[in-house]
Amino acid sequence: MKELLNKIQNGLIMMKDWKHTKLVLISFACFCTSFALTAGLSKAIKSYNLRKGVGGFESARAPEYAANLDSLLNEGEELSASDEASGGMSDASITYQTYRVKQGDMIGYIADKYDITTDTIISVNNIKSSRLIQVGQYLKIPSMPGIIYTVRKDGETPSTIAENYKVDAAQCASVNALALDTELKAGTSLFVPEAALDWMTRQEINGDLFHRPLHGRYWISSRYGWRDSPFNAAKRTFHGGLDMATSTGTPIYAALDGKVTTTGFNATYGNYVIITHHSGYKTLYGHMSQITCKKGNFVYTNTMIGRVGSTGMSTGPHLHFTVYKNGKSVNPSLVLN
């Protein structure tokens, strides 16, 4: 009985070994087949790529191309020499693309995205107030940082303009396809690579030029623009400034450094002060209870020029604040820091 059991056990082991052997043989056969298919496919792909990688003129007889070859070689040399003489003008050319403003965009974010400066976007798109860009607005985006410069007087050249902005003159001339000494007429515009806006212009456009004339607490009782007249409910009138309501006697400060050019009293503004600043700007401060400066004084943003009151045409204590640019009023909210 024991001998019979041993035979059965040996038979089972042999069957198990045969299954393993069979599995190995099948795997080897699959490997050989795959190798053969891969080799054949690789050869076919190589042959196809070789067919795709050829070209040129074909002829049934020996080609006579020596002269043509010399011409092509010479043409290549002339092209290289031309590029060298132009100082790489082709590499310095400027291109533009458009960008549509999305919700949450700020000029600084857009500038970082395209590796240019905020000054570049402001200047190229002639933006007067960076606070006024709107969703859906299209902006021109140049391929390099810089600003648009408008020639102020006849005879300026790319060289002198570059010198004023402390940038590379050759690049300035190249980008605009001009010679370094090309004399330009007043009103001509050109792109000045790597140039930046002056500090004052940047502050003005970003709405950070003027400080708030009231350093204490106040509320806006009337904004710039059309409103129902506070003195005649049947009329719509244009309000040329910003009314800042607060308690009588609150100190009033100059919104920007400048010279006091007018102090006085009139029926509309009561006690008022006018300060003249740089770049064509003037500011008016009205309805004061007291004026604490004199005509001719040079004042700073920490200089108190008067106190809040309700003189002139006023319904209560407040400061009427107006900003003028070249004789025309502008919305103070766009230039107040």
Side-chain angles (χ1 to χ4, degrees), residues 122-304:
I122 288 170
S123 178
V124 167
N125 293 280
N126 195 27
I127 294 173
K128 299 301 183 185
S129 174
S130 59
R131 298 180 184 181
L132 295 181
I133 63 167
Q134 299 177 348
V135 174
Q137 178 181 349
Y138 285 95
L139 298 175
K140 288 173 63 178
I141 308 293
S143 56
M144 63 181 71
I147 65 171
I148 300 294
Y149 173 77
T150 301
V151 177
R152 296 187 174 91
K153 60 182 180 179
D154 292 345
E156 291 186 56
T157 66
S159 181
T160 60
I161 293 168
E163 184 178 355
N164 288 337
Y165 282 101
K166 303 294 187 289
V167 297
D168 184 77
Q171 186 184 18
C172 181
S174 177
V175 163
N176 295 282
L178 298 169
L180 282 170
D181 57 355
T182 301
E183 294 189 355
L184 304 169
K185 292 184 178 180
T188 303
S189 294
L190 68 162
F191 187 86
V192 185
E194 304 298 336
L197 296 171
D198 63 87
W199 178 85
M200 207 63 68
T201 300
R202 188 183 301 114
Q203 293 292 98
E204 177 183 358
I205 292 171
N206 288 334
D208 296 328
L209 186 59
F210 290 92
H211 292 254
R212 297 183 183 276
L214 299 181
H215 295 181
R217 301 178 71 175
Y218 65 89
W219 68 95
I220 303 299
S221 54
S222 185
R223 296 188 179 276
Y224 179 89
W226 289 97
R227 68 179 183 181
D228 293 331
S229 172
F231 309 104
N232 186 341
K235 283 188 176 181
R236 291 274 294 170
T237 56
F238 188 85
H239 187 228
L242 198 64
D243 285 347
M244 310 165 81
T246 188
S247 58
T248 299
T250 299
I252 301 169
Y253 299 87
L256 186 67
D257 298 353
K259 185 177 181 180
V260 177
T261 49
T262 307
T263 64
F265 177 92
N266 71 23
T268 302
Y269 295 116
N271 294 318
Y272 72 97
V273 169
I274 294 177
I275 302 175
T276 298
H277 313 282
H278 60 78
S279 306
Y281 279 105
K282 291 185 178 183
T283 49
L284 179 148
Y285 311 77
H287 308 303
M288 294 181 175
S289 62
Q290 181 186 3
I291 296 173
T292 60
C293 62
K294 294 181 180 180
K295 182 179 178 179
N297 289 163
F298 194 89
V299 293
Y300 303 89
T301 55
N302 60 354
T303 304
M304 188 175 79

